[in-house]
Amino acid sequence: MNISSAILYVTPARLDETCALLSAMPGVEIHARSEAGKVVVTLEEDDTKAAADRYVALHGVPGVASVAMVYQYSDDESESDTEEVES
C-alpha cells in the first residue's frame, strides 16, 4: 500500500477541466482547491512503483503547471509476513 499527497498548481483558466481529469484518474482524490489554481490531492496505490507512475502521470495532465509531493507513506509488509503474538 502506498499513500501520498501532493499540491498541484493548475492554470486557473483550466481549473474545472483539470480537476475533472484528475478526479477520473484511479487512485486520485481531490481534497481542496482554490480559484488561484492550487489543488490538494491524495494518491492511493497498491505498491510503490504504481504510486511513482501515478505521480509522474500528474505532470502530464493538461492544465497542471507543477506538482509538489508533500507526504508519502508506504507499507510493503503483507499480512502473510506478520505473526500474531499473545502476551
Side-chain angles (χ1 to χ4, degrees):
M1 171 200 309
N2 189 293
I3 301 170
S4 57
S5 65
I7 297 175
L8 285 63
Y9 292 94
V10 175
T11 305
R14 298 185 80 176
L15 186 60
D16 290 335
E17 169 194 1
T18 302
C19 285
L21 293 170
L22 292 168
S23 293
M25 295 175 77
V28 176
E29 185 176 343
I30 296 174
H31 293 279
R33 65 183 247 182
S34 72
E35 292 304 314
K38 191 181 293 186
V39 180
V40 178
V41 300
T42 55
L43 296 87
E44 293 187 32
E45 293 293 341
D46 292 333
D47 59 59
T48 304
K49 175 157 177 19
D53 291 344
R54 179 76 60 218
Y55 181 77
V56 170
L58 292 175
H59 291 275
V61 174
V64 172
S66 68
V67 180
M69 183 180 286
V70 176
Y71 175 82
Q72 190 271 334
Y73 169 80
S74 181
D75 182 7
D76 293 332
E77 188 173 308
S78 68
E79 288 184 31
S80 63
D81 292 342
T82 62
E83 180 180 330
E84 192 171 314
V85 177
E86 290 186 36
S87 53

